[in-house]
Amino acid sequence: MNNHLIEIQGLTKVYGVDEATVHALAGIEMSVDKNEFVAIMGHSGSGKSTLMNILGCLDLPTSGSYMFDGRDVSKLSKNDLAEVRNQKLGFIFQSFNLLPRLSALANVMLPMLYNMDEDVSDEEAKRRAIASLEAVGLGDRLHHHPNQLSGGQQQRVAIARALVNNPPLILADEPTGNLDSKSSVEIMDILHKLHKGGATIIMVTHEPDIAEHAERVICVKDGVILSDGRDGNNLCLNKRTL
């Protein structure tokens, strides 16, 4: 039985034309099973951020196919991509991306306001947002604004926001990049709990100690996969090639 949540074949991304052409991705082949915890590593310019943008339906490939949750999303319109992002994906960003004028509770409620496929009442949206914040240990910070929270607490709000629509995939882009070591450990502990609870997580990081939290590490270089931990080969970790 096929347990793949993601299947990618021959994925390329080309920017520019003629002499200015840049092949950011040069034929990526990979799959991710449901309930995997995957880290993607690579130095600046390796293509990992481009790959993450395509996985997150923020960009389209130049060629190749991207099957996500049984649907080929590589050729969708912008509106259809936005629908997939809202209903199927939870994003955790390095810079948190919280709206400064909104409370933690209001920030977490936002994805439900844009979910056209599910008619959620204000009362239900609030209940789910509170439950999501309590799940990351912020039940006592519901009405705090981002500037009243530490970096680690802001990232917890971002995680709660990513969870609130119960997406099949969580994408974490350098989730500890702006945090101190103590907060980084706390955030990784939360991701581990989510994974044990059944979440599929793909995380981009340049930090080997953070990547080691994942059960599989994919090393990207020059737009191709250099090694895949599924095969027991972790070049990014073993050789510190970053």
Side-chain angles (χ1 to χ4, degrees), residues 42-100:
H43 59 69
S44 179
S46 64
K48 68 180 188 298
S49 294
T50 300
L51 177 58
M52 191 66 152
N53 284 340
I54 292 175
L55 290 173
C57 296
L58 296 168
D59 199 1
L60 289 171
T62 301
S63 64
S65 67
Y66 169 26
M67 297 294 298
F68 171 55
D69 204 19
R71 184 180 186 185
D72 187 353
V73 298
S74 55
K75 299 175 179 64
L76 294 182
S77 68
K78 288 183 178 180
N79 287 340
D80 287 339
L81 286 174
E83 182 180 319
V84 171
R85 286 195 302 271
N86 183 256
Q87 297 176 10
K88 301 280 190 177
L89 300 171
F91 293 93
I92 304 169
F93 301 97
Q94 177 180 352
S95 55
F96 317 137
N97 285 8
L98 302 177
L99 296 184

Side-chain angles (χ1 to χ4, degrees), residues 126-191:
K126 184 176 180 180
R127 185 195 68 77
R128 283 165 54 175
I130 291 173
S132 192
L133 283 163
E134 288 177 342
V136 297
L138 289 180
D140 59 345
R141 297 289 190 274
L142 302 179
H143 303 294
H144 286 60
H145 287 67
N147 65 357
Q148 298 172 306
L149 300 170
S150 68
Q153 288 172 332
Q154 289 183 63
Q155 192 60 295
R156 289 190 192 196
V157 174
I159 293 173
R161 181 184 57 192
L163 297 176
V164 77
N165 273 339
N166 298 312
L169 177 63
I170 295 172
L171 297 172
D173 190 0
E174 300 282 3
T176 62
N178 284 337
L179 303 178
D180 58 39
S181 57
K182 180 176 181 294
S183 296
S184 295
V185 170
E186 292 172 352
I187 294 304
M188 294 312 301
D189 283 345
I190 291 173
L191 292 181

